[in-house]
Amino acid sequence: MTNLILAAIAALIVGIVIGVLVGRSGQGSTLRQRRAEQQIEELRNEYTRYQAQVNEHFMESAHLLRRFNDSYRDVNQHMARGANRLCNDEEWLLELEKENARARLEGSGDQDSAEPPRDYAPKNDPKQKGTLAEDFGLAEKEQKA
């Protein structure tokens, strides 16, 4: 009976040791899994913050561009009102018509003196073939073939 009790105690001790080892190995994988889940959650939070920053940036950019356009429109209207109030329109229109007429007269003289397009290379003799001829630069043997 003593042997039976000793065998039972030894089996109990071996069972406890095996249980502890299995428990620790299971805790290691569970601990790694918890760490991985925490990292995933941190990355999600960081990504969410990044998206919020991007949205905020574009919203502020749109607001600033709208203000810029409003300011530009205000300046443009101010300049137009000032031009209407300060400039004598009749004199300005007459001056513009004179300038346009002068430009048309100067431009028409250039059209009369236009020359036809020239060949790419000057010819020494008028009977010589120009560089645009189909057989330019070919030997007589190649021309006949």
Side-chain angles (χ1 to χ4, degrees), residues 23-42:
R24 283 189 179 174
S25 67
Q27 285 179 352
S29 65
T30 305
L31 184 60
R32 277 188 242 130
Q33 186 176 2
R34 278 192 231 139
R35 285 181 189 163
E37 288 173 358
Q38 286 175 347
Q39 287 177 342
I40 289 172
E41 191 62 31
E42 287 174 7

Side-chain angles (χ1 to χ4, degrees), residues 38-104:
Q38 286 175 347
Q39 287 177 342
I40 289 172
E41 191 62 31
E42 287 174 7
L43 288 173
R44 279 188 186 141
N45 291 337
E46 186 177 334
Y47 179 68
T48 303
R49 282 191 303 270
Y50 175 75
Q51 282 182 324
Q53 288 174 345
V54 168
N55 289 337
E56 182 181 342
H57 167 76
F58 282 111
M59 292 296 290
E60 185 176 351
S61 296
H63 175 71
L64 291 172
L65 283 172
R66 192 175 315 114
R67 280 186 18 206
F68 174 75
N69 286 335
D70 292 343
S71 297
Y72 176 76
R73 185 180 56 244
D74 292 344
V75 168
N76 195 8
Q77 289 173 352
H78 170 73
M79 296 299 289
R81 283 192 306 267
N84 286 335
R85 191 177 50 215
L86 299 174
C87 293
N88 189 350
D89 287 340
E90 293 171 13
E91 290 178 14
W92 182 76
L93 288 174
L94 289 174
E95 184 66 31
L96 183 62
E97 288 176 15
K98 287 179 186 177
E99 192 66 34
N100 286 340
R102 235 182 271 133
R104 274 187 255 131

